[in-house]
Amino acid sequence: MTPATTAAAGRPAPRGRIDKRQAILDAAFAVFARRGYAQACVQEIAEEAGVAKPTVYNHLSDKENLFRHAVVAAADLVMAENLAVVERLRDPGDDLRAGLEDVGYRLLKVCCGQRASALRALTYAQLATFPDLAEVVQGRTAGRLGEALADRFARLALAGRLRAADPARAAEQFLALLTGPMEARSRLGTRAVSAAETREVAGAAVDTFLYAYGAMDQGPPASHCDPVATRAAVIGSSAVMSSSSSAGDNAS
Amino acid sequence: MTPATTAAAGRPAPRGRIDKRQAILDAAFAVFARRGYAQACVQEIAEEAGVAKPTVYNHLSDKENLFRHAVVAAADLVMAENLAVVERLRDPGDDLRAGLEDVGYRLLKVCCGQRASALRALTYAQLATFPDLAEVVQGRTAGRLGEALADRFARLALAGRLRAADPARAAEQFLALLTGPMEARSRLGTRAVSAAETREVAGAAVDTFLYAYGAMDQGPPASHCDPVATRAAVIGSSAVMSSSSSAGDNAS
DNA sequence: ATTACTTTGAACTCATGGGTTCAAGTTGGG
DNA sequence: CCCAACTTGAACCCATGAGTTCAAAGTAAT
């Protein structure tokens, strides 16, 4: 279905009418992501798509249009991945904490992946030029994701596995607890974050989330009951002014 | 040393050597914020600063340099505001929840203000072109802010007003609970969020935060104990698929 | 007033790149 | 075989804007 998804392979271009359009959109997103909107030139996009410049203008009238379509397409791709992950909460195992940590970890992997990072950067970058794009992208990603999560949380609450509370708020905060710390640690997506650290962030998010939204029957998380960890935290707190960073000290 | 920190006032330009430099930096940030890096032209910045174009190049060698200095200056301004807010936690009143809500609300006002939004947008926008800028800005804003918050939380924990836990993690999550939902609701800063909604976000963040990090002595928040509110949330959860938004239902 | 320095405006150079044009193919269907 | 539609490459037009040059003028301190 997408024979040119790889794009810009050595082939000098198999003339004819294949999926030029799709190839162009893929190449466009790649180039925009790499260079930014203003610095990306249509010529380069055409080359990366294995297509001539006029062909680009033939399919997508101008640069702005090209950009919008490429961004929306990428947003839909990211969203599909995220929704697939959230579906896993439809039947969490006996261990809700483990299930949430798994979902959290997978969401983080998607949200900090190449596509999602580039998408966020591009959207932010063009806030000044195309303010409406923020709404479109947000509506196709965060919005739907929040709704899907809220759906799952609502069912879990009815099943007595989460406290009865506004599921929309729970979803909103669950996502915030995941992505907020990740954004900081990945320096807005410029630094790679190890799987271990990602897992740690997910674990911390789920801990806090379950404190607030967990049903009564599940005790506090193991890491918080561990007297050693707790002691260390308290000791560390008095020395926090002198130490520059406390990340990566010890995982759960 | 900085007599013209106010800068760029309406004055049609009192010829001579005042603090052209500061005026230029202020104007630069304003124009960059309004147009984005690539679309901002030095000519316009010069005009806005009430200065001739060569003067700009005289003080700051080229456009990139101008941008970097302007962004860093703005970051420091935002940071100063944030630190001042966090200082209020040095002596919270008897009501810790109220104190945290107050600080949360004020932090949100700063982080969603004109400068902070523009700063975030500009930083994201130039990730592709100046990847190192992310680190610099992050280090001057989120980094310091997190440390300052962690300091306050550490003291509160020692005083027995928060649970003994890693203060850095608590700070990280407190900020995430505040800014995450706000970013979504303000559409990345493109939409104005009412004071009431901002307060609601702060309240929700503090609720969740205290569930996870509060000392035992403070019961769950009033809004969560209110049987009416709880019932409403449960009822709402079964209808969550049909209703589009649950924002603005009821504040604390 | 003289000197040393900065600012100014305006014109200029030059590179980049969006978008178009066009003649010469290439493709596929009838 | 031929026509219509599409693609191609290459050249082209033109707007924008970074960065420079320079002579004239303002400013400050001596």
Side-chain angles (χ1 to χ4, degrees), chain B residues 67-98:
Chain B
F67 180 72
R68 301 187 106 102
H69 278 85
V71 162
V72 167
D76 287 343
L77 272 185
V78 167
M79 199 45 210
E81 293 184 76
N82 275 333
L83 285 184
V85 172
V86 170
E87 276 309 291
R88 294 176 140 255
L89 279 182
R90 210 172 265 283
D91 179 28
D94 304 329
D95 189 349
L96 181 57
R97 164 165 278 118

Side-chain angles (χ1 to χ4, degrees), chain A residues 148-164:
Chain A
L149 247 191
D151 285 352
R152 294 303 99 220
F153 286 163
R155 305 301 280 253
L156 288 170
L158 276 189
R161 307 192 61 179
L162 286 182
R163 191 167 56 74

Side-chain angles (χ1 to χ4, degrees), chain B residues 90-201:
Chain B
R90 210 172 265 283
D91 179 28
D94 304 329
D95 189 349
L96 181 57
R97 164 165 278 118
L100 286 173
E101 275 177 9
D102 180 58
V103 166
Y105 175 69
R106 289 170 192 267
L107 283 178
L108 283 182
K109 272 206 307 187
V110 174
C111 290
C112 297
Q114 190 108 46
R115 245 197 309 270
S117 293
L119 180 62
R120 229 164 349 112
L122 285 176
T123 309
Y124 262 114
Q126 298 311 314
L127 280 187
T129 358
F130 316 132
D132 58 294
L133 233 181
E135 202 163 351
V136 175
V137 171
Q138 195 94 335
R140 294 196 171 231
T141 56
R144 279 187 207 282
L145 179 57
E147 281 179 34
L149 248 191
D151 285 352
R152 294 303 100 220
F153 287 163
R155 304 303 278 255
L156 288 169
L158 276 189
R161 306 192 62 177
L162 286 181
R163 190 166 57 72
D166 181 3
R169 171 186 286 194
E172 186 179 41
Q173 293 191 332
F174 184 69
L175 290 175
L177 284 170
L178 285 172
T179 58
M182 258 325 244
E183 243 170 63
R185 297 186 187 215
S186 71
R187 311 267 138 160
L188 308 186
T190 56
R191 214 192 78 192
V193 178
S194 73
E197 191 172 352
T198 304
R199 243 178 247 283
E200 189 205 328
V201 170

